[in-house]
Amino acid sequence: MSATTLRELHHGRKPGDPLVLPGPWDAASARVFADAGFPALATPSAGVAASLGYEDGQTPADEMFAAITRIVRAVDVPVSADVEAGYGLSARELVGRLAEAGAVGCNLEDTDHATGTLRDPQEQADWLAQVRAEAGDALVINARIDTYLRGVPDADETIRRGRLYAEAGADCVYPFAAPPAQLARLATAIGLPVNAVVMPDGPAPRELGALGAARVTFGPGLQWRAMAAVREMAEELRAETTGRARTDRTDRT
């Protein structure tokens, strides 16, 4: 599946009909989402990290790319990969690793993981431009903007960063956790499709589309929901087995 296919899915969206990209955390979940008919998928770094036994942001690059490879191999739809801030790789190394994994899109965020603060926007734009130059058209770049996440809930600063990233060659922008009411303004001012994330108590995907999102993802939310179901199943199983044990003891007395 090509980047062209994924890129085209972002455009011509009607209000209320965004591109919805479920976030698989392993090959099995990827197959489930693809079999359900979703046209593309977007891996969540936090969900993949949890499936591998790591905290968000702590997954070694080799393990993350191995997980992405397994997910891509399991499905026949385009996959975009959340590769956080790029793991300190050069643009050439990052693009090469994504190509080897088979991903045709990626998230790149403007948080400096060494300090936990926002990266200088011009430095981030220069980095994105290098990635674009290395990838050509073979990669859909979703530039994540972490202003709202890092304590700078300023639409003007988000727009400034978004425009720089657009000029650098990003295909879409992802103002993580931006207030839904600001999505339309951000999309218009930046001039690229905007990715919105579904929050536990926030609007549903179609509502986010009506508010201005062209693309909707879930972060680790779907993996959390799956684990909640597993937890409930485990509790029920434990209750059943405990109940049987008590019955057995009663029968023996």
Side-chain angles (χ1 to χ4, degrees):
M1 288 293 159
S2 70
T4 299
T5 300
L6 178 59
R7 188 175 288 112
E8 289 175 350
L9 289 170
H10 290 75
H11 296 280
R13 312 299 310 189
K14 296 179 181 178
D17 182 31
L19 173 62
V20 177
L21 300 177
W25 53 93
D26 60 13
S29 60
R31 290 192 191 99
V32 170
F33 293 130
D35 289 347
F38 289 97
L41 306 174
T43 70
S45 63
V48 173
S51 74
L52 296 174
Y54 294 101
E55 296 294 327
D56 186 22
Q58 299 302 310
T59 309
D62 286 350
E63 292 198 45
M64 181 63 76
F65 283 109
I68 294 166
T69 300
R70 291 190 292 271
I71 289 169
V72 171
R73 191 171 56 213
V75 297
D76 59 359
V77 298
V79 175
S80 179
D82 184 348
V83 289
E84 303 178 269
Y87 306 112
L89 300 172
S90 70
R92 175 169 294 182
E93 290 171 326
L94 178 64
V95 170
R97 296 293 296 270
L98 286 165
E100 289 173 2
V104 296
C106 70
N107 281 6
L108 286 170
E109 61 197 49
D110 58 4
T111 287
D112 182 339
H113 282 241
T115 63
T117 60
L118 287 167
R119 191 176 186 192
D120 177 82
Q122 188 59 61
E123 290 180 1
Q124 180 70 2
D126 292 344
W127 157 248
L128 293 173
Q130 292 173 32
V131 174
R132 172 55 69 211
E134 290 292 340
D137 292 333
L139 191 67
V140 175
I141 300 174
N142 187 30
R144 198 175 102 173
I145 307 171
D146 283 351
T147 45
Y148 296 94
L149 179 65
R150 299 299 172 190
V152 188
D154 184 335
D156 290 337
E157 175 62 14
T158 302
I159 290 167
R160 182 172 80 92
R161 287 173 177 265
R163 286 175 172 169
L164 284 171
Y165 304 164
E167 292 171 3
D171 294 283
C172 48
V173 292
Y174 181 11
F176 187 83
Q182 294 186 13
L183 293 173
R185 177 189 174 193
L186 296 175
T188 299
I190 294 171
L192 288 179
V194 166
N195 185 143
V197 63
V198 176
M199 304 297 279
D201 298 320
R206 293 185 68 86
E207 293 176 89
L208 290 170
L211 289 167
R215 163 175 166 155
V216 173
T217 53
F218 298 83
L222 299 177
Q223 194 264 348
W224 290 347
R225 288 171 61 181
M227 292 311 299
V230 172
R231 187 174 298 108
E232 182 178 351
M233 181 171 57
E235 291 171 354
E236 291 176 355
L237 181 59
R238 179 59 179 165
E240 290 173 3
T241 56
T242 301
R244 289 197 188 98
R246 288 174 180 167
T247 301
D248 291 343
R249 286 197 297 271
T250 300
D251 292 342
R252 289 197 299 266
T253 59

